[in-house]
Amino acid sequence: MIKLLKYDLRRNASLLLVVVAALIAGELALMWSPLVLQIKLGLLIGIHFAAAVIFSINNLMVFDYNIKSVSRRLLPVSNYAYVWASMLYAILNTLALMAIAIGPALYYLNSYDTMFLSDVFDLPAYVWSELALETVFMGIYGFLFMYAVIALTRSIVKKGVLWVGLIVFLVLSTVVDWVEGLLFHRDSTQAFSFITFKVENGVLAHETFNSGASWNALGSLVFEILLCFVFLYVINWCVEKRIEAK
């Protein structure tokens, strides 16, 4: 797996460095610009979101390349190594984006009146922990879902992969959402199931785990965990039985 990861990083180093350089340049330009704080923050979030989208698309392309490349089949790794290497590749990219964001975050916190963020920083530690765990799981589930879509698409066609992949994505996501809605009255796109936020008298408040809604959220979480194992099985079967290396 580590060999796969090193190969992926070397092969995509140019793209990663260009995006990182552009992101840092954008951050510095915003710091020195005369724009008001709200616009600066909006643009800062925008360029980081764009970088995250580029990295995510690149990660999916890395996985797609790996499962159909004959040269990678010569390495003594299991089919699951393609998944774990791509997942670790995504984690490293995410950590890089977070590290780059630390500088601007500290700058704006020290240079401007950011009291409007105090409600967020005052959230209890257990709330932050639940938010972090749900975010991590959402990322793992999302990437496994997309890896399964790519593997299924590659096992069906050799040409027109983009359009067939879009159809597979729509069909699979619709079926999963329908089943999850039928069983738990929610869909797989709902985020932060165990914590909800609301504004009361201008103050950010949160609610955690309450009766039926929370049991539905827990059932939905277990269902999605089981789906992760199903996605892994589908990926392994497609790579081993259906996808021809070229």
Side-chain angles (χ1 to χ4, degrees), residues 3-15:
K3 290 183 178 180
L4 295 178
L5 177 62
K6 290 180 179 178
Y7 183 86
D8 292 334
L9 290 172
R10 286 198 300 267
R11 187 165 54 87
N12 295 275
S14 297
L15 172 65

Side-chain angles (χ1 to χ4, degrees), residues 189-227:
T189 61
Q190 287 185 253
F192 307 121
S193 306
F194 298 101
I195 299 176
T196 56
F197 294 94
K198 61 181 179 179
V199 177
E200 294 180 345
N201 301 321
V203 179
L204 183 68
H206 64 277
E207 296 178 349
T208 60
F209 221 82
N210 57 68
S211 63
S214 293
W215 285 111
N216 282 337
L218 183 60
S220 177
L221 175 63
V222 173
F223 176 73
E224 290 177 3
I225 291 175
L226 293 176
L227 279 180

